[in-house]
């Protein structure tokens, strides 16, 4: 749980250049405005259920359990979501929020490409422009996602 | 991504990996704030991102907690997830945080080992610092220069960890283990072979720890591990790791 | 009035930036002497950082060159101490938060003060996070310089009211926007000098910026000369600074 200044214990905060401060303040205000808004949450839930394919399965890995011979192992299958990872959960929420804020363009970083693919997908769905920044090294090792 | 209509900009500065992509994104955001939203992908960066991303990822543990109660009539003994910035892990942990008997274990990328410089295990090798908008733990040298981290997994190849994880570590509520490239690749192949599930190489770090932990626990205990993503994207890279010359 | 503010009396102030240790500390010393000879009023000394998220590619490359020869806080304190023996022009350190924090914030700022630093700019520390740095700065008499951006709007009065030394209008602002920020500051009744760094590198740009501000920062002009001429740069730097200074006085 974070306190109002975005601290988790001693961690967190807002160590960013002054030029971005109003942007994060605007985002915080918009988030506070919408996070408990029934209409926003209904819209997001609909996207999660019908577009991302939630809820994701909790799968009992019986063979693995037997093979390892100890605790029962359950796998939470975020790999079964649309775009193939958990990243879509966050992206649908943020893209919807950005749309409510009147933004028309999404930018995102990506490492393995999963977040980039999820962001590009949400941008396509919501008719927003999209630019993804990916380390050149990663564009080589994860070429399938580019 | 290009097929979906996105423009992909390869970042060549620094180590040309995830941290440089984050830096470049922050820079781009300063150039065009009015119509642009920076859709940050992990529970990191300046407030309010760590909170927003955590809330949207918390759906993972909201579901899994209800699902395990339905399937087993009780809560698990341990919840495991891989950690880079930490969005899938915080999502997997969040609704279990008040359940003190549920162990929360984050699996970091040790790369070639936490005793080498080729690692991305932030909690295990980093120290407190300020970078990318947040105070948290970072892999850095004694002068406060950010370390060029390494992991076979591009998604975990990041020198920091989200501030909420840093705090869960400080308070002892969660623990963080380091998994090497070798262990992750073994787990990647193991899960594919045994269960027919090809996990992302990121997620394979969590599976690697399941393989260590499960045999030490009794048969009436329960582990829930998150498969954060699928591994199609990694098949060629893993084959290359094993010395096969396969390209997409 | 502190040492930084007094520089602004009857003078359009010229503030060149240089990365310490690019390409080595001896060249930095010679370049600083050349800037003073050319008429610099305040000198910004950049502490190189591995991941300078807010810098231009030119400055990023100079940070890389400086790090390659191992230019860290202690080396820079030694460099500043040496320069202070002969130079009275105010020095302002420009550094990201982590090299300061990782050194130990209090220790870093005390050492900076004792070797003759007058001000410090930390671009990734906005108003909301400044107290952990500002308190110790105040105690040792270093001005923690406040930065304003064209997006600051409703934040200007809050930031300006406890600013010290001068107000720094960040390089991200274009020229038109920088002048708007200055008039917004004045409209708040704030009299502290305003300097702008809106991508200024030529004499004409500097002269234009000086029509609405109290001084100009040269964010990369000196660094470009170092990149081009390396160890031979100092004489070119003196000429360059002289030219800009003449334009500001004309």
């Amino acid at each position: 749980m974070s306190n109002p200044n975005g601290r988790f214990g001693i961690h967190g905060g807002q160590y960013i250049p002054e030029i971005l401060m109003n942007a994060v303040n605007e985002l915080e205000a918009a988030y506070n405005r919408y996070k408990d808004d029934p209409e926003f949450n209904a819209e997001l839930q609909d996207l999660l259920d019908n577009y991302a394919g939630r809820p994701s399965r909790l799968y009992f890995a019986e063979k693995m359990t037997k093979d390892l011979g100890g605790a029962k192992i359950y796998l939470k299958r975020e790999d079964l979501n649309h775009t193939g990872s958990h990243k879509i959960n966050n992206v649908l929420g943020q893209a919807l929020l950005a749309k409510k804020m009147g933004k028309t363009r999404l930018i995102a970083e990506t490492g393995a490409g999963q977040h980039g693919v999820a962001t590009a997908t949400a941008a396509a769905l919501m008719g927003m422009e999209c630019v993804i920044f990916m380390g050149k090294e990663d564009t080589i090792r994860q070429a399938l996602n580019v | 991504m290009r097929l979906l209509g996105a423009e992909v900009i390869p970042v060549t500065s620094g180590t040309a990996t995830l941290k440089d992509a984050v830096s470049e994104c922050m820079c781009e955001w300063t150039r065009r704030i009015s119509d642009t939203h920076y859709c940050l992908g992990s529970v990191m960066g300046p407030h309010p991102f760590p909170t927003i991303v955590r809330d949207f990822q918390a759906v993972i543990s909201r579901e899994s907690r209800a699902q395990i109660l339905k399937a087993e009539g009780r809560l698990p003994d341990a919840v495991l997830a891989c950690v880079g910035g930490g969005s899938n892990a915080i999502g997997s942990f969040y609704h279990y945080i008040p359940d003190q008997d549920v162990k929360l274990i984050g699996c970091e990328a040790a790369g070639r080992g936490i005793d080498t410089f080729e690692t991305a295990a932030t909690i295990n090798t980093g120290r407190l610092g300020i970078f990318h908008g947040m105070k948290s733990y970072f892999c850095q040298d004694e002068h406060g220069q950010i370390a060029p981290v390494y992991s076979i997994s591009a998604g975990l190849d990041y020198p920091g960890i989200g501030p909420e994880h840093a705090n869960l570590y400080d308070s002892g509520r969660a623990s963080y283990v380091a998994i090497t490239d070798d262990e992750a690749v073994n787990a990647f192949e193991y899960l594919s072979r045994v269960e027919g599930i090809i996990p992302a190489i990121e997620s394979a770090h969590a599976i690697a720890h399941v393989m260590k932990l499960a045999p030490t626990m009794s048969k009436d205990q329960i582990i829930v591990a998150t498969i954060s993503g699928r591994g199609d994207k990694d098949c060629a890279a893993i084959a290359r790791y094993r010395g096969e010359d396969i390209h997409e | 009035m502190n040492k930084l503010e007094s520089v602004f009396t009857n003078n359009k102030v010229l503030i060149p930036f240089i990365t310490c240790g690019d390409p080595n500390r001896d060249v930095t010393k010679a370049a600083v002497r050349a800037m003073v000879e050319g008429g610099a009023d305040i000198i910004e000394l950049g502490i190189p950082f591995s991941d300078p998220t807010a810098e231009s590619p030119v400055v990023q490359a100079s940070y890389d060159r400086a790090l390659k020869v191992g230019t860290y806080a202690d080396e820079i304190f030694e460099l500043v101490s040496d320069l202070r023996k002969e130079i009275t022009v105010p020095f302002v350190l420009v550094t990201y938060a982590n090299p300061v924090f990782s050194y130990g914030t209090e220790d870093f700022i005390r050492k900076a003060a004792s070797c003759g630093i007058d001000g410090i700019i930390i671009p990734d520390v906005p108003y909301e996070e400044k107290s952990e740095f500002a308190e110790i700065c105040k105690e040792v008499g270093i001005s923690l310089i406040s930065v304003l951006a064209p997006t600051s709007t409703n934040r200007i009065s809050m930031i300006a009211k406890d600013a010290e030394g001068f107000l720094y209008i960040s390089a991200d602002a274009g020229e038109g926007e920088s002048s708007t920020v200055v008039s917004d500051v004045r409209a708040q009744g704030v009299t502290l000098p305003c300097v702008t760094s809106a991508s200024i590198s030529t004499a004409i740009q500097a002269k234009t910026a000086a029509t609405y501000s109290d001084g100009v920062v040269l964010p990369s002009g000196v660094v470009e000369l170092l990149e081009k001429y390396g160890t031979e740069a100092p004489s070119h730097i003196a000429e360059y600074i002289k030219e800009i200074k003449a334009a500001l006085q004309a």
Side-chain angles (χ1 to χ4, degrees), chain B:
Chain B
M1 290 187 273
R2 290 188 172 130
L3 179 65
L4 294 159
E7 183 186 354
V8 179
I9 300 184
V11 177
T12 53
S13 60
T15 50
T17 58
L18 181 55
K19 89 174 155 72
D20 308 292
V22 173
S23 297
E24 199 47 53
C25 250
M26 287 190 169
C27 219
E28 170 64 19
W29 201 24
T30 67
R31 288 190 284 262
R32 220 173 128 178
I33 291 172
S34 58
D35 67 344
T36 298
H37 173 68
Y38 177 13
C39 187
L40 220 163
S42 193
V43 284
M44 45 152 295
H47 174 67
F49 284 109
T51 300
I52 291 180
V53 179
R54 177 255 278 150
D55 287 352
F56 288 142
Q57 291 294 359
V59 64
I60 301 174
S61 51
R62 190 160 61 238
E63 289 175 3
S64 84
R65 196 174 180 281
Q67 288 166 324
I68 197 73
L69 282 173
K70 192 169 171 216
E72 293 283 345
R74 69 178 193 89
L75 292 173
D77 298 278
V79 174
L80 274 66
C82 61
V83 180
S87 71
N88 124 77
I90 210 75
S92 300
F93 294 172
Y94 188 66
H95 287 282
Y96 296 103
I97 291 175
D99 304 318
Q100 291 296 331
D101 294 335
V102 179
K103 284 201 179 83
L104 306 176
I105 306 173
C107 305
E108 299 192 312
R112 299 208 165 90
I114 54 171
D115 48 355
T116 72
F117 288 105
E118 292 174 293
T119 179
T122 308
I123 293 280
N124 284 280
T125 68
R127 63 191 173 88
L128 194 61
I130 296 171
F131 184 52
H132 277 166
M134 58 182 173
K135 188 177 279 181
S136 188
Y137 293 108
F138 295 96
C139 299
Q140 54 183 313
D141 71 9
E142 75 262 41
H143 306 290
Q145 307 291 337
I146 303 304
V149 293
Y150 164 80
S151 160
I152 189 172
S153 149
L156 305 181
D157 196 354
Y158 181 72
I161 188 165
E164 192 163 10
H165 284 295
N167 191 46
L168 287 173
Y169 171 74
D170 285 355
S171 68
R173 180 65 191 91
S175 59
Y176 295 84
V177 297
I179 301 295
T180 64
D181 283 358
D182 260 339
E183 292 169 330
V185 170
N186 284 338
F188 177 90
E189 293 169 341
Y190 176 83
L191 191 67
S192 304
R193 211 169 48 239
V194 175
E195 291 286 354
I197 296 171
I198 305 175
I201 189 64
E202 289 77 19
S203 320
H205 286 71
I207 298 303
H209 196 62
V210 171
M211 291 164 67
K212 291 184 194 176
L213 189 64
T216 70
M217 294 167 68
S218 71
K219 287 185 175 168
D220 55 358
Q221 289 186 297
I222 300 168
I223 294 175
V224 170
T226 302
I227 308 291
S228 57
R230 64 174 182 235
D232 321 29
K233 68 184 178 62
D234 299 309
C235 292
I238 300 295
R240 287 199 292 276
Y241 184 84
R242 290 299 191 205
E244 291 174 44
D245 188 26
I246 292 181
H247 292 272
E248 282 138 356

